[in-house]
Amino acid sequence: MMQSLTPDVEVRLSVGQCVRTLTTSNEKEEVTKTLHTLTSYLDDGPQSTITSAQRAEFSRAHYTRTLQFLISNINADWLQLLTVAQCTELWDGLFLRGPPDQTLLVLMDGISSMSSPSAGLDRLVSILERFLQSGRLTVLLWTRCQGKGLSDSPQLRETLLGRLVALPDLTANQLHHHNKTIFLPQQYYPLLARDMLTVLERTCQALRDRKDCSLTFVAQALGKACVQGHSGLVFGVLAPRLSFCTRSDMVWQRVCWKLLENVPERWLESVLTGMVQAVNRPDALSRIMGNLVLKNKKAQFVITHKLLLLQYKYETRVLSILLGYLAQDRERRPLLIQVLRSLCQAWANPSAVRHTPLEQQLYVSRALLLCVGLLSDAELQDLRSELLQCMLGGMQSHLDSSVVRVRRMGMVVGECLSSRMDVNGAKLKFEYEHDEETKELLSLMTPLSEEETEPLDDRLDLSQDVKGQTVPSQAVPSQAASVAQKSGADPDSELDSDDELTPYDMSADQEMSQAAPPRYLRDCLEAVLSSEDPVRVDLSLRAIEGLVRKNTSTAREVSVELSKVLLHMEDRYNTVGFLSLRQAAMVALTVTDSVPVTEYLTTEFYSMNYSIRQRLDILEVLIMSAQELSQPITDKGGPSKAIQRVTIDTPLYPGDDPIHWRQVVERRIQSKTKRLSKGVTHPPAKPTPNRYAPVAGHFFFPLLRNYDRPQVTFDLLGSDHLVLGRLIHTLGLLMHLSVNAPVATQMGRALLDFVWAVRYHVDQMVRRGVLFAVCSVFLSMPSQSLLVELSDQLFETRAWLAGMTRRMWLKRAQSRCSCSCSVCVNLR
Amino acid sequence: MARPAPAPLYTLRGAGSPLNALHFGCCEGDPPLLFSGSGQGSVHVWNLTTRRAEKVLEGHSGASVTWLNTLHSRDTLISQGRDMRVCLWDLAEGRGDVTDALWTGSVGFCRCSLLETGPGRWLLAHAGEAMEEVKIIELPSKSPVCALIPQAKLGMVMCIKLWQPDSSPGPLLLAGYEDGSLALWDVSQRSVLSRAAAHPEPVMCLDFDPAGQRGISGSSEKSLASWMLDGQHRLQLQEPVALVNPGISQLCIRGDRKIVASAGWDHRVRVFGWKKLRPLAVLQHHTDIVLSLAFSDHQDPRNRMLAAGSKDQRISLWSIYNQGSSDTG
């Protein structure tokens, strides 16, 4: 009669019997026997009487329920009857030997539903730990690969994926501080990745044995883990191994391609970004990814557009891998050219130059240079006209910028492009200072060296402990070597401390020039004007400042003429420090003879046929002279004065001790003296006349005269942003320096009128200048006249400032603006 | 961070002509004195406490004084002038008279060299009448000891240094010649022990450190030559020391053998560590060629100053590397 029953009924009856027994019985023998019966459904022991059909039926229909039953009775009395060994063997065994997907679901449900600190929870956690450690995840993934359980519902699949990928989150939520290390993301995701690798390995084996496998589930798990932000950990394990395995094995390559193809589209992006960051060479990426970019629209978008043009956080290495990948295969070359076109457009776009962050521009420049470096000469020939177009437009927009880094970037990229395009023609060459950034950009033109081989990590073992052990053993000899080096250097350095004498500063020890410096200002003027002798010009230029300050009366006679000569002077002989010398001379002239020289300079500022450099020089000279004039007159004695003072003060043979004995005594007295109250210790500053105040107007007003009168070579309100920005800065500074001067009120009024017209200028440098100017107006004008004179403009300015603050807030540059706002608030 | 370049302690003005010779007289008694010989033949005696010239001695009939020294005490001064005479002065009790004079016959610029051989007895080496000749006489008897004339043609003798080594019975003499070579003479044998071509140009000055058996010499080039004597009294040239500007008029090793100073034609005094000739300081103050140098012989090491005399008619005094602890910092 038993034989006539179908297996499912039979199993149902048997399991039902077991459950009933366990619920009611308290006898040890009986419980043990029942558990044995249940276990026997899971694996076929030698004396097993269970048929495979029965086993399948149990796994399909009853396993989950049995486990749920066990968990719900985790605190039952019969469990206490068993010994620890029996418990581990029978109770835990039921969890660890059955179908792992069901176990995982039941365990995770159990863990999340248990109250937090309890013995039952601890038990489940330890089972889960053993579940992970004994490689049940591999079994789980592998069963899914083999096509079993394909019949299950999408919901179940989703839940399983969710539990699998979010295991660290779920356990952390439930266990808080008592979490196990294996559940931490740093441990769990590499474990998951290693399990995936094992499964991929088995897949390869199965394919060789001509069996079908499905990688859908593994791909989904990979995608889900990546999209949850663990791509770094996962690919840290996957990428090196895949890169190694795919090197010679076509089957591995096919498996990798299939894996990536099977990643659902919504998760593909995070998988790809994780991958390109983890591989170390373009050919590795090419082997792992295959021609995915050609088959999958999403992948193509991510690789050719999003990573290059929309995001800019990746390091240069990633860029070169990415572009190298595109360049590796003949079928992908068109994509590279397409990328080059879009990069060109992005780089040359004037609006992008003005409005995108500098880091992004740098990123695009890097990508562009890398891309150009990868193109062959024939391809370049085809693209030449487009590239030229891009280069010229882009150069213009970059060089127009007021930001130094942008300009420099434009120059470097322009140089590189031109040198790459014209194989034998002329090249662009700019003069700029080389820094880290430009060097890096220039280095991108030389392609990655091919011989740089991958590390031959054959035994990229699935256990990391071995590596951890080898590291210290390697470190020991190197430490020993460094110790040896040190001990080797030590005696030498002791010997080397030649004398115990420390050298003085010897930087002033320069070569002496043969010719004598000119002694008269007129000689200097003549030399600078007409001499062809570099030494004489050099000496004269150096002498001018001193001579001007020494003989003010002579300087007054030739001030304007000399200023004119200096302003037009060119660095014909490559004099050391030419610019600063010329500037110092002009400042000295302006300070000595303010009115005529400022009149000359301010007139010249607006006249024709000057270069931008010269106009900026004029502004700088005006600023520095105003600064010098506004400072109190101090002794500007050379070393001779200092010596005289020393000569007077020091007694004979004072030793080398610079502290005078009087000072020592004074200090001792001070330290022994007790003071009940401290009064003013420093004498108040001595009042000195402000030399700037009477001439401030001569510096200021002429500069405001002609700004709206465009000329052929100079259009202040048009394209000459740079000069306009500097002009406003200069005016602001002149305003700032004229604090307390009687003319400050008129100056402030005029300045505010002027900057009002350009407060919404397109160039940020001009806008910054306006802010600065407004600040200095408010700070320098006498407060009583502020309200009287500017009452109508104050409210508008305040509204404008508030608007600026709000916008700047977004750009994280509010400090400058908020300072002006605080100024404004102080006014109230 | 290097310390800023040092400034002079004070300067002495009023000599009225270039200062070719300097000599300190601080050894005994107060106040410390500095003797200076000028280009117009006068010897100034500077009191370093008041920083005034105490006395001006005229004895070389307007010809430039090239060398100064004192015999047993600072009461007896010995001076060499370009009037071809060496004069002995009695300065005791405020006197200032020439007590004795000696005709050398040398028309060159070679400074004499003095060596004390016993209490009250000295040997004086000076350039002789013939261009390449060095004569040695005994003082105070003025009796000639020998005349050293090299066999090879070395040109005019430019500078000499006489000293008594521990190893040999007689004194040794180092002489620099116009062709840039150095010769080491054994005075008692009247023979050249060793020769070395130290410079391509005439040797302008030299100084020797008997204790370390090392010496240094300068010329009109952009480097200093350093050399040493090995056990067999042979001159061994060592690594030259490069200078920024050419031309050296005097070299002086300080008594404690720690530093050496050079008087440069580039208006600067350079200080080197003597052990390794490492540049230590550049003393920049004068506005013309520095002609002479002297280190003080004061008992207190902290008061051992450096004096530099220049063509700009000034003497600058420097306190440098003379306080042990504060300089090591």
Side-chain angles (χ1 to χ4, degrees), chain A residues 630-635 682-690:
Chain A
S630 66
Q631 272 155 10
I633 303 164
T634 48
D635 263 341
H682 296 288
K686 227 189 196 171
T688 45
N690 184 348

Side-chain angles (χ1 to χ4, degrees), chain B residues 59-80:
Chain B
H60 285 282
S61 50
S64 133
V65 177
T66 56
W67 176 76
L68 288 170
N69 211 331
T70 47
L71 296 183
H72 54 78
S73 75
R74 59 184 193 176
D75 288 343
T76 313
L77 179 74
I78 181 165
S79 68
Q80 178 198 17

Side-chain angles (χ1 to χ4, degrees), chain A residues 145-210:
Chain A
C145 282
Q146 283 168 316
K148 289 184 192 167
L150 276 181
S151 54
D152 56 23
S153 65
Q155 285 89 343
L156 181 69
R157 210 185 163 102
E158 272 306 306
T159 322
L160 184 61
L161 266 181
R163 296 288 188 276
L164 185 66
V165 170
L167 185 136
D169 300 338
L170 295 171
T171 51
N173 281 340
Q174 189 64 12
L175 299 173
H176 303 292
H177 291 299
H178 308 292
N179 209 349
K180 304 276 182 187
T181 43
I182 197 170
F183 302 149
L184 296 180
Q186 289 79 5
Q187 298 266 333
Y188 178 75
Y189 290 106
L191 177 94
L192 184 63
R194 285 195 286 276
D195 286 329
M196 285 179 185
L197 276 176
T198 320
V199 169
L200 292 180
E201 183 114 45
R202 282 191 202 169
T203 314
C204 290
Q205 200 52 49
L207 287 181
R208 286 198 195 96
D209 298 343
R210 299 179 184 282

Side-chain angles (χ1 to χ4, degrees), chain A residues 417-467:
Chain A
L417 286 184
S418 73
S419 75
R420 191 76 184 80
M421 275 189 309
D422 288 335
V423 183
N424 43 10
K427 277 195 257 181
L428 281 178
K429 184 76 195 149
F430 292 98
E431 279 181 14
Y432 50 86
E433 284 172 27
H434 285 273
D435 58 0
E436 288 301 313
E437 203 171 286
T438 57
K439 275 183 204 149
E440 194 214 331
L441 283 178
L442 285 174
S443 72
L444 294 180
M445 286 302 284
T446 48
L448 225 61
S449 58
E450 288 297 326
E451 61 269 25
E452 191 184 319
T453 49
E454 294 174 54
L456 277 174
D457 201 351
D458 198 355
R459 34 132 205 116
L460 175 109
D461 27 41
L462 305 181
S463 66
Q464 287 184 327
D465 325 71
V466 185
K467 271 188 193 167

Side-chain angles (χ1 to χ4, degrees), chain B residues 147-162:
Chain B
L148 308 174
I149 303 174
Q151 264 143 24
K153 278 188 77 75
L154 301 179
M156 192 190 285
V157 58
M158 304 295 290
C159 47
I160 49 181
K161 168 90 181 177
L162 187 66

Side-chain angles (χ1 to χ4, degrees), chain A residues 495-506 508-513 643-644 646-648 650-657, chain B residues 3-4 6 10 32 48-49 51 222 244-245 258-259 266 268 270 273 275-276 278-282 303 305 319 321 327-329:
Chain A
L495 282 179
D496 200 52
S497 63
D498 170 7
D499 308 298
E500 57 280 23
L501 312 170
T502 29
Y504 287 90
D505 179 22
M506 285 180 283
D509 191 19
Q510 303 290 335
E511 282 208 38
M512 299 230 317
S513 59
I643 291 157
Q644 277 176 358
V646 170
T647 322
I648 295 160
T650 39
L652 182 61
Y653 300 133
D656 213 15
D657 194 357
Chain B
R3 294 184 289 173
Y10 53 88
L48 293 183
T49 311
R51 299 176 194 177
K222 272 174 105 168
V244 178
N245 290 306
K258 277 200 172 149
I259 55 174
D266 58 350
R268 291 161 207 173
R270 280 160 221 282
K275 222 184 275 177
K276 291 206 156 185
R278 187 164 63 120
L280 291 177
V282 176
N303 288 340
M305 289 184 294
S319 170
Y321 294 116
D327 276 311
T328 59

Side-chain angles (χ1 to χ4, degrees), chain B residues 18-23 35-43 60 62-69 78-87 89 104 106-113 125-127 158-159 204 249-250 291-293:
Chain B
L19 293 147
N20 292 331
L22 288 172
H23 183 73
F35 303 98
S36 74
S38 78
Q40 286 176 344
S42 45
V43 175
H60 285 282
S64 133
V65 177
T66 56
W67 176 76
L68 288 170
N69 211 331
I78 181 165
S79 68
Q80 178 198 17
R82 293 209 56 218
D83 57 349
M84 299 190 266
R85 289 200 310 159
V86 171
C87 294
W89 304 75
T104 60
S106 156
V107 292
F109 297 85
C110 179
R111 291 173 169 133
C112 297
S113 180
H126 64 83
M158 304 295 290
C159 47
M204 299 305 293
S249 42
Q250 194 170 7
L291 292 170
S292 52
L293 283 177

